[in-house]
Amino acid sequence: MNRRNTASKEIVLHLLERYSSALSQDFLEDRVRGQMDRVTIYRVLNRFCEDGIVHKFMSDEGKYYYALCRGCSPEHHSHDHIHFRCLHCDTVECLPNHVRPKLPEGYTGLISNYWISGYCRKCAPGQETNRQGGRQK
Amino acid sequence: MNRRNTASKEIVLHLLERYSSALSQDFLEDRVRGQMDRVTIYRVLNRFCEDGIVHKFMSDEGKYYYALCRGCSPEHHSHDHIHFRCLHCDTVECLPNHVRPKLPEGYTGLISNYWISGYCRKCAPGQETNRQGGRQK
DNA sequence: GGGGTAACTGCAATTATGTTGCATCTGCGG
DNA sequence: CCGCAGATGCAACATAATTGCAGTTACCCC
């Protein structure tokens, strides 16, 4: 199973880097409309996940978001950080915090997904807004 | 908008109480098959949410789970607890922990959903199992 | 206790997202 | 440059959420 360098991979990777935030499949679809098929995006993203350069997580609206892995090797992923959605600019990002809540006696936690919605720094009350009109949907 | 007492409400409420864990729509469908329509379950559950006696949250598999609110009034909901799925018995429950992670400077958190998968007390390694053959799916 | 109405229900249909099968195409090693 | 495994496009399917509408019913009011 050797991976190949293809235009599709480049395009998707470039978008993930450019936005430096977590993106949903349908957001990517809008950006590459006409350039490649939905299914190709789907498969490219999942291949990235298999290769450990991207992780995906379920959002509060029931669809996956994909983000570049930062600071975790393919062998050792640490995804115990918080996923944050700004209710104003609708950006989804991975916060640097590491979270390790204490579970009740007898419980073992293996996989986690922490999700918080609110206002990001750029859209904080009192700050000038960051909304970019449909930057994400 | 006055609510009425109907058989459907009773049945769904009774199931939520009986299992005392978070249930998905399709799990409830299996339990009431022939007694009421899917859409009715859907609407009953969402009415419960509006009324503040149930809260719903997105699972890691992309579907909503519904659980009775415990210790939160209709005016003041506190849903900053952890939702836990046991990978063995597949039960989803609300843990009592309250979580308040510190966000980076400038961020304001409003809504949260903490999700952890692992093994619950009953299914902990070394314990006898709790799997009930399709108790949830 | 009966009537009227707003709330509720059932059925059909639609939307959105994820997923798979298969025929075709292509990057790349030899 | 040849061959093939990996990648792609298209069609189709699966599942969950959601809406419209016509018909039913709980319950307030008399």
Side-chain angles (χ1 to χ4, degrees), chain B residues 39-56:
Chain B
V39 181
T40 301
I41 305 176
Y42 168 76
R43 288 196 260 231
V44 165
L45 287 170
N46 281 301
R47 253 177 276 146
F48 283 160
C49 289
E50 286 176 21
D51 296 345
I53 59 175
V54 159
H55 63 289
K56 72 172 170 182

Side-chain angles (χ1 to χ4, degrees), chain A residues 58-62 64 82 84 87 93 95-97 99 101-121 124-125, chain B residues 58-62 64 82 84 87 93 95-97 99 101-121 124-125:
Chain A
M58 183 58 64
S59 79
D60 50 0
E61 37 173 357
Y64 286 118
I82 295 170
F84 188 92
L87 296 172
E93 55 183 319
L95 299 185
N97 307 47
V99 187
K102 186 165 167 49
L103 296 179
E105 182 67 25
Y107 283 74
T108 313
L110 296 175
I111 312 163
S112 57
N113 184 20
Y114 308 108
W115 193 272
I116 297 182
S117 298
Y119 294 108
C120 72
R121 181 170 17 222
Chain B
M58 183 56 66
S59 78
D60 50 0
E61 39 174 354
Y64 285 117
I82 296 169
F84 188 92
L87 296 171
E93 56 183 319
L95 299 185
N97 307 48
V99 186
K102 186 163 166 51
L103 296 179
E105 183 67 25
Y107 283 74
T108 312
L110 295 175
I111 311 163
S112 57
N113 183 21
Y114 308 108
W115 192 272
I116 296 182
S117 298
Y119 295 108
C120 71
R121 180 169 18 220

Side-chain angles (χ1 to χ4, degrees), chain B residues 70-87:
Chain B
R70 300 195 185 283
C72 54
S73 63
E75 300 77 36
H76 186 69
H77 282 261
S78 57
H79 292 146
D80 54 350
H81 56 265
I82 296 169
H83 300 123
F84 188 92
R85 177 197 299 280
C86 178
L87 296 171

Side-chain angles (χ1 to χ4, degrees), chain A residues 9-137:
Chain A
K9 281 177 66 169
E10 293 302 321
I11 294 171
V12 172
L13 198 54
H14 184 254
L15 284 168
L16 286 168
E17 284 164 351
R18 176 178 154 208
Y19 284 99
S20 66
S21 62
L23 304 179
S24 64
Q25 158 118 18
D26 67 299
F27 175 79
L28 286 165
E29 281 177 37
D30 281 348
R31 303 288 136 167
V32 303
R33 200 169 295 289
Q35 296 182 83
M36 71 177 90
D37 192 73
R38 319 174 27 237
V39 181
T40 301
I41 305 177
Y42 168 77
R43 289 196 260 231
V44 165
L45 287 171
N46 280 302
R47 251 177 277 147
F48 283 161
C49 288
E50 286 175 21
D51 295 346
I53 59 174
V54 159
H55 64 289
K56 72 172 170 182
F57 47 93
M58 183 58 64
S59 79
D60 50 0
E61 37 173 357
K63 62 186 183 189
Y64 286 118
Y65 274 72
Y66 301 82
L68 292 171
C69 286
R70 299 193 186 285
C72 55
S73 64
E75 299 79 35
H76 186 69
H77 283 261
S78 57
H79 293 147
D80 53 350
H81 56 265
I82 295 170
H83 301 123
F84 188 92
R85 177 196 298 282
C86 179
L87 296 172
H88 188 255
C89 67
D90 211 28
T91 302
V92 174
E93 55 183 319
C94 298
L95 299 185
N97 307 47
H98 284 246
V99 187
R100 291 216 171 273
K102 186 165 167 49
L103 296 179
E105 182 67 25
Y107 283 74
T108 313
L110 296 175
I111 312 163
S112 57
N113 184 20
Y114 308 108
W115 193 272
I116 297 182
S117 298
Y119 294 108
C120 72
R121 181 170 17 222
K122 287 177 181 163
C123 300
Q127 298 296 106
E128 52 192 311
T129 168
N130 189 41
R131 195 196 286 271
Q132 294 181 11
R135 184 179 175 289
Q136 293 205 7
K137 74 170 189 182

Side-chain angles (χ1 to χ4, degrees), chain B:
Chain B
M1 179 66 78
N2 292 315
R3 289 287 139 84
R4 291 177 182 173
N5 292 321
T6 64
S8 304
K9 280 177 67 169
E10 294 302 322
I11 294 171
V12 172
L13 198 54
H14 184 254
L15 284 168
L16 286 168
E17 284 165 351
R18 176 178 154 207
Y19 284 98
S20 65
S21 62
L23 304 178
S24 64
Q25 158 120 17
D26 68 300
F27 176 79
L28 286 165
E29 280 177 36
D30 282 347
R31 303 289 137 168
V32 303
R33 199 170 295 289
Q35 296 182 83
M36 72 178 91
D37 193 72
R38 312 174 35 238
V39 181
T40 301
I41 305 176
Y42 168 76
R43 288 196 260 231
V44 165
L45 287 170
N46 281 301
R47 253 177 276 146
F48 283 160
C49 289
E50 286 176 21
D51 296 345
I53 59 175
V54 159
H55 63 289
K56 72 172 170 182
F57 47 92
M58 183 56 66
S59 78
D60 50 0
E61 39 174 354
K63 61 186 183 187
Y64 285 117
Y65 274 72
Y66 301 83
L68 292 172
C69 286
R70 300 195 185 283
C72 54
S73 63
E75 300 77 36
H76 186 69
H77 282 261
S78 57
H79 292 146
D80 54 350
H81 56 265
I82 296 169
H83 300 123
F84 188 92
R85 177 197 299 280
C86 178
L87 296 171
H88 189 255
C89 67
D90 212 26
T91 302
V92 174
E93 56 183 319
C94 298
L95 299 185
N97 307 48
H98 284 248
V99 186
R100 291 215 170 275
K102 186 163 166 51
L103 296 179
E105 183 67 25
Y107 283 74
T108 312
L110 295 175
I111 311 163
S112 57
N113 183 21
Y114 308 108
W115 192 272
I116 296 182
S117 298
Y119 295 108
C120 71
R121 180 169 18 220
K122 287 177 181 163
C123 299
Q127 298 296 106
E128 52 193 312
T129 170
N130 189 41
R131 194 196 286 271
Q132 293 180 12
R135 186 180 174 290
Q136 294 203 7
K137 72 170 188 182

